[in-house]
Amino acid sequence: MKIPHLVAIALLLFCTCLPAAELTKAPRAPRPDDRFKADILLIVAHPDDETEVTGYLAKAIYEEHRRVAVIFGTRGDGGGNAEGYEQAAALGAEREIEGRKALASFGVMNVWFLGGPDTPGQDVLRSLETWNHGAALAQAVRLVRLTRPEVILTWLPVYVAGENHGDHQAAGVIATEAFDLAGDATAFPEQISPPRERLGISNLTEGLHTWQPKKLYYFSDASHTDFLEGKGPRYSTKDISASRGVPYYRLAADEMSFHLTQDDTGQLARQAIAKGDFKYFEQPVMLVLGKSHVKSSVTGDVLEGVENGPIPFVPVHGYQPGDNTGLAIEIGGPWSFYRKFWKAHSLDHLGELLATPEVALSPGERLHLPLLLHNGTAEPQEVTLTAEVPGSWTIAAGQAIYSVDARETYPVQTVLAPPAKADSAWQTVTWKAESGGKTIGTVSVRVNFATGGLPQ
């Protein structure tokens, strides 16, 4: 039966005019879960990567009572096993437990793994591919929004001579992207959509809040540290912990000793403790200030200028294509990516850390260097590519005359072969591009053999 029109209007007016005292008071909206709140969020690649900065974390945790959380990009399922036969997925299962126990010894319980595969190599783009970049980034943004860190610490997203694992670089890239996206309401919006009924079981959205971290710091495993001087805070590991009564390097060694499947970390730490020789652990922790959205000096403390409470979202510059109107040569691969990445994320100063691109090789290992020949003109052009190398090197691939179509880029994979017994001093190789009898550009790279390159 239909309700007469006037009766319906009367019922509506009656319902909307009930006294406030007769309305049920809604419960307060729940606040973000403080059990997961972090002052410092560390984003790294493998279980044991945290040991690069535990000399600082010990101070932050034990003396300053800072809350620390950690994200590992992988379970460390690649590499050798110094404790047993377990390999691959089984090794990853062991290393996850090692990582959790090591951090638990510091009182750090909030630890997550993104699930990427351990990808040997030095190419960040390869690691981002195997990690499933988009999915890994979504998880990282989710965890930044969950932990609401004041500061993020991560690997330096720069190609350096040293171990320079591609996964390390990938962790730095993803951490930087998450730093810039967690406060963006249009990035992974399903994460910040309130659930329809938070006590129900069929909610598809996550109920998080946007969060803009305040400061971003990087650290590096480069074989030389000269380029890190004065670029951020420096923490001595020789200082004595007031609460523990031992130097921070000893606390760092104790934490590292849980990683026993790895001979260059856990086994090394166990031997150092047994012998009382902590020279390896006495190196200072050196950080690079990536960016700060609060008033803070470059070399000041990690938490300098940080006050409790959220800050507004700070957008970054974003990607802008360059003006390619002529002929040009540039180093490709990770180096080309980073030049765009730094600018897009308002990190131009990272491009100034190293005056010349650099790599580390094992003696006898070939140097694979990707180059890009750009033709921004309206006509096809011929470009001659030649190499200048130390006298004992040989050129295996790359020297040729290339026909580059109009407004196209020709990718060239060059290969240089150093001698089997290479000098440990820095050496420089240069690729020169010419067209029409004129030099259009050169690319130089410094090569170092002292560190032995990356274990495969």
Side-chain angles (χ1 to χ4, degrees):
M1 181 177 70
K2 293 184 178 180
I3 301 176
H5 184 64
L6 292 178
V7 173
I9 294 176
L11 287 172
L12 179 62
L13 290 174
F14 175 76
C15 292
T16 57
C17 295
L18 284 174
E22 298 182 26
L23 294 176
T24 301
K25 188 173 183 179
R28 293 186 62 182
R31 302 298 303 156
D33 195 331
D34 274 340
R35 294 176 301 166
F36 301 99
K37 168 67 179 161
D39 298 306
I40 299 169
L41 175 63
L42 178 66
I43 302 180
V44 289
H46 315 105
D48 89 340
D49 284 358
E50 82 284 354
T51 62
E52 194 77 19
V53 291
T54 43
Y56 161 69
L57 292 180
K59 177 179 182 292
I61 292 169
Y62 291 129
E63 316 319 327
E64 300 172 4
H65 308 292
R66 302 296 185 182
R67 294 164 292 183
V68 175
V70 178
I71 299 173
F72 291 110
T74 80
R75 288 180 169 82
D77 53 340
N81 185 346
E83 281 286 289
Y85 281 117
E86 296 81 9
Q87 280 290 311
L91 177 61
E94 289 187 343
R95 287 185 172 173
E96 177 177 344
I97 297 303
E98 288 181 340
R100 291 188 184 279
K101 287 183 175 180
L103 288 163
S105 74
F106 267 28
V108 177
M109 307 303 293
N110 291 340
V111 180
W112 292 272
F113 291 78
L114 301 184
D118 190 340
T119 307
Q122 294 182 313
D123 190 337
V124 62
L125 302 178
R126 174 61 177 154
S127 289
L128 289 171
E129 178 183 37
T130 61
W131 283 22
N132 194 340
H133 188 176
L137 176 58
Q139 291 186 67
V141 170
R142 173 182 294 112
L143 293 171
V144 171
R145 288 168 171 171
L146 177 65
T147 58
R148 294 167 291 129
E150 308 300 330
V151 174
I152 290 178
L153 302 183
T154 189
W155 285 108
L156 180 68
V158 176
Y159 199 116
V160 299
E163 182 179 354
N164 191 48
H165 202 299
D167 288 350
H168 293 179
Q169 299 175 62
V173 167
I174 287 173
T176 301
E177 293 172 331
F179 182 96
D180 290 333
L181 288 176
D184 184 345
T186 67
F188 308 108
E190 66 280 4
Q191 296 179 1
I192 58 173
S193 175
R196 178 180 296 178
E197 170 51 65
R198 69 183 183 90
L199 299 179
I201 62 173
S202 300
N203 290 302
L204 301 180
T205 53
E206 300 180 35
L208 294 171
H209 298 274
T210 57
W211 182 260
Q212 176 63 69
K214 298 178 177 70
K215 301 174 79 175
L216 175 63
Y217 287 93
Y218 299 112
F219 51 89
S220 176
D221 59 0
S223 57
H224 59 111
T225 59
D226 52 296
F227 69 101
L228 302 175
E229 293 287 352
K231 300 302 190 297
R234 177 190 180 108
Y235 294 96
S236 172
T237 61
K238 297 180 182 180
D239 293 343
I240 305 298
S241 166
S243 62
R244 292 299 186 270
V246 297
Y248 291 118
Y249 65 71
R250 175 55 196 259
L251 297 173
D254 289 341
E255 198 272 351
M256 185 185 282
S257 68
F258 285 87
H259 297 282
L260 291 175
T261 59
Q262 308 199 50
D263 58 1
D264 59 350
T265 52
Q267 296 291 337
L268 183 150
R270 182 161 67 176
Q271 293 166 16
I273 294 169
K275 296 177 181 179
D277 180 3
F278 297 97
K279 184 177 180 180
Y280 172 86
F281 299 91
E282 294 176 359
Q283 304 170 61
V285 175
M286 302 177 69
L287 302 178
V288 173
L289 176 60
K291 60 178 71 177
S292 176
H293 298 321
V294 296
K295 188 175 181 180
S296 174
S297 61
V298 172
T299 57
D301 183 71
V302 163
L303 274 299
E304 180 185 64
V306 171
E307 297 180 358
N308 290 331
I311 62 173
F313 169 62
V314 182
V316 293
H317 181 268
Y319 170 70
Q320 298 292 330
D323 181 20
N324 298 320
T325 57
L327 289 171
I329 180 176
E330 71 164 320
I331 186 171
W335 295 273
S336 178
F337 161 70
Y338 279 135
R339 282 192 292 274
K340 300 178 183 71
F341 177 81
W342 297 327
K343 288 182 179 296
H345 290 272
S346 305
L347 292 166
D348 300 68
H349 62 289
L350 295 189
E352 301 170 0
L353 290 177
L354 298 173
T356 304
E358 61 183 36
V359 299
L361 296 177
S362 298
E365 180 185 359
R366 291 186 167 195
L367 173 61
H368 295 258
L369 195 66
L371 299 177
L372 300 174
L373 304 177
H374 300 294
N375 178 12
T377 74
E379 301 292 335
Q381 303 288 339
E382 283 196 344
V383 177
T384 300
L385 192 61
T386 57
E388 298 175 3
V389 300
S392 55
W393 288 54
T394 58
I395 303 166
Q399 285 200 147
I401 300 173
Y402 296 88
S403 296
V404 187
D405 289 338
R407 298 188 176 87
E408 293 289 341
T409 294
Y410 196 123
V412 180
Q413 293 294 329
T414 71
V415 183
L416 300 176
K421 294 183 178 180
D423 189 340
S424 62
W426 287 97
Q427 299 183 43
T428 301
V429 300
T430 300
W431 285 93
K432 180 170 66 173
E434 298 175 294
S435 183
K438 297 181 179 179
T439 300
I440 63 173
T442 61
V443 169
S444 294
V445 176
R446 296 201 311 157
V447 183
N448 184 267
F449 296 91
T451 60
L454 177 70
Q456 297 297 315

